[in-house]
Amino acid sequence: MSSTAGQVIKCKAAVAWEAGKPLVMEEVEVAPPKAGEVRLKILYTSLCHTDVYFWEAKGQTPLFPRIFGHEAGGIVESVGEGVTHLKPGDHALPVFTGECGECAHCKSEESNMCDLLRINTDRGVMIHDSQTRFSIKGQPIYHSVGTSTFSEYTVVHAGCVAKVNPAAPLDKICVLSCGICTGLGATVNVAKPKPGSSVAIFGLGAVGLAAAEGARISGASRIIGVDLVSSRFEEAKKFGVNEFVNPKDHDKPVQEVIAEMTNGGVDRAVECTGSIQAMISAFECVHDGWGVAVLVGVPNKDDAFKTHPVNFLNERTLKGTFYGNYKPRTDLPLVVEQYMNGELELDKFITHTVPFSEINKAFDYMLKGESIRCIIRMGE
């Protein structure tokens, strides 16, 4: 075991004290892991738009003070009682969802939505005892989505930690903890385009670009990017997108534009915006008889959309996905190997790097729309 096992560790963490206010670098105390938990030393973390969403606290229950962060790579420092698949020194990625291995979802080959460890955005404590593992001078600091990687050390349920190849660079593969796998898996695991097929990607942010990367890996010949911001089109070419449509440039619904471009519709569509209109367009732009549309974007809680039932009767399929249908512990190590063997390209997703002491710069880049992913180097 490590020399610090069983002890409280003092380290730096970027704490959000109020919604929308800059994070504050604080010295926090991180308790040892309890049964079924792991304490990780975080070496690199990345800023995902979901962190910004909950930091702004718009549309959900605010919970502060809190340590955000859920895309990261690190090394196991110590493990709690009963943890057998991890040991100190292992390289690992924490994930906002988990794999207990025991529930019906985990035992199913068709689902990754673990009953025990499925994401809970409102929970700010550990499942084991409903307590936090972070504190400042005795004051509890809340967790976020079970990971809280904006801290040099964090405690995570062992079922939410994937052991990975120690040769893989953590400053690159850390982006697989959330957005990249969500988009990539939506295409390769759910849409499953065949070589030579056509795919429309709605939304060219990080998740949409990852969906395009999945279409590229799958051998799609036409990858059509759909976005309201035309300046994103040039960057998207790096991810295999070879045609572009801005709905604002047309006086008819974009699904009609795409149907005309593709002689009746695309073979697959992946929606990565959370916009109800984009969801409708993605479904209605796929070809009858075999077209499949996959919804990835998270809508507002009161949203609903309608489409004519004949779209289903004409043999179009609508699917949803969660974290790209990847089981974290089982599948994430395999995705890392895809990167290691050159099949999956991750470097092009990383547009900025900042030291931990300047983490608020990462928020600025994201809010200005300047970054796909900003890597934050811990310990600096």
Side-chain angles (χ1 to χ4, degrees):
M1 296 292 285
S2 67
S3 60
T4 49
Q7 301 175 21
V8 172
I9 290 179
K10 292 184 178 182
C11 69
K12 290 183 178 179
V15 178
W17 290 97
E18 295 180 64
K21 297 293 179 66
L23 305 188
V24 180
M25 204 62 65
E26 303 277 11
E27 182 180 77
V28 299
E29 295 186 341
V30 185
K34 296 193 176 181
E37 298 173 356
V38 177
R39 188 161 60 185
L40 296 172
K41 181 178 182 179
I42 301 297
L43 298 184
Y44 298 94
T45 188
S46 170
L47 180 62
C48 172
H49 193 268
T50 304
D51 292 311
V52 177
Y53 182 73
F54 287 102
W55 166 71
E56 291 177 325
K58 295 176 180 176
Q60 74 286 144
T61 306
L63 184 62
F64 296 94
R66 201 171 197 182
I67 297 174
F68 290 105
H70 63 279
E71 287 188 350
I75 297 175
V76 176
E77 176 271 336
S78 60
V79 300
E81 180 185 349
V83 177
T84 57
H85 76 282
L86 294 160
K87 64 182 185 303
D90 283 344
H91 285 220
L93 302 182
V95 185
F96 64 89
T97 184
E99 183 181 352
C100 73
E102 301 295 329
C103 70
H105 284 278
C106 286
K107 292 179 178 179
S108 168
E109 294 182 359
E110 299 178 23
S111 174
N112 67 335
M113 300 185 71
C114 176
D115 281 331
L116 177 66
L117 301 174
R118 191 179 307 183
I119 186 172
N120 181 334
T121 58
D122 291 334
R123 186 173 58 233
V125 294
M126 299 299 291
I127 293 174
H128 178 72
D129 59 0
S130 297
Q131 300 293 315
T132 71
R133 301 288 176 265
F134 298 111
S135 62
I136 297 177
K137 297 177 181 177
Q139 178 184 1
I141 307 297
Y142 292 113
H143 297 246
S144 176
V145 296
T147 51
S148 292
T149 62
F150 293 166
S151 174
E152 292 175 330
Y153 286 85
T154 188
V155 178
V156 183
H157 192 288
C160 297
V161 180
K163 179 181 175 180
V164 297
N165 184 343
L170 290 171
D171 60 333
K172 303 293 194 299
I173 64 169
C174 66
V175 300
L176 294 172
S177 291
C178 179
I180 308 308
C181 277
T182 296
L184 180 71
T187 303
V188 300
N189 295 335
V190 186
K192 298 179 180 178
K194 297 176 181 178
S197 61
S198 58
V199 181
I201 308 293
F202 286 75
L204 297 176
V207 175
L209 294 174
E213 178 76 356
R216 182 192 68 78
I217 291 172
S218 301
S221 60
R222 298 183 70 179
I223 306 175
I224 304 169
V226 183
D227 201 291
L228 297 170
V229 182
S230 295
S231 60
R232 287 180 163 181
F233 293 166
E234 189 64 32
E235 183 76 20
K237 292 178 182 178
K238 299 177 185 177
F239 301 83
V241 178
N242 48 32
E243 297 177 62
F244 305 94
V245 177
N246 186 331
K248 294 191 292 187
D249 293 341
H250 302 273
D251 56 6
K252 62 178 71 174
V254 69
Q255 54 265 45
E256 294 181 17
V257 175
I258 293 173
E260 291 174 3
M261 291 171 58
T262 55
N263 193 29
V266 289
D267 302 307
R268 302 289 186 266
V270 185
E271 181 282 320
C272 304
T273 71
S275 157
I276 292 301
Q277 188 54 57
M279 293 178 183
I280 297 169
S281 298
F283 178 49
E284 294 184 353
C285 82
V286 299
H287 206 289
D288 57 7
W290 61 80
V292 178
V294 179
L295 304 186
V296 182
V298 179
N300 289 327
K301 61 178 181 175
D302 297 324
D303 281 344
F305 72 82
K306 64 179 181 179
T307 186
H308 200 284
V310 76
N311 287 316
F312 292 97
L313 298 176
N314 285 341
E315 300 180 5
R316 293 179 179 89
T317 300
L318 181 64
K319 292 185 173 184
T321 180
F322 172 70
Y323 191 52
N325 277 45
Y326 287 116
K327 293 179 184 284
R329 286 170 52 187
T330 300
D331 297 329
L332 201 45
L334 303 177
V335 181
V336 170
E337 293 309 312
Q338 282 185 283
Y339 167 70
M340 294 295 283
N341 66 29
E343 183 181 354
L344 169 63
E345 300 171 5
L346 292 180
D347 299 50
K348 60 194 178 186
F349 287 96
I350 299 167
T351 52
H352 297 78
T353 303
V354 299
F356 188 34
S357 60
E358 298 178 13
I359 188 172
N360 287 304
K361 279 188 179 180
F363 281 75
D364 291 339
Y365 292 138
M366 180 73 74
L367 291 168
K368 292 176 182 176
E370 295 177 358
S371 71
I372 300 174
R373 278 294 182 267
C374 181
I375 302 299
I376 298 155
R377 303 185 304 267
M378 307 300 284
E380 292 188 28

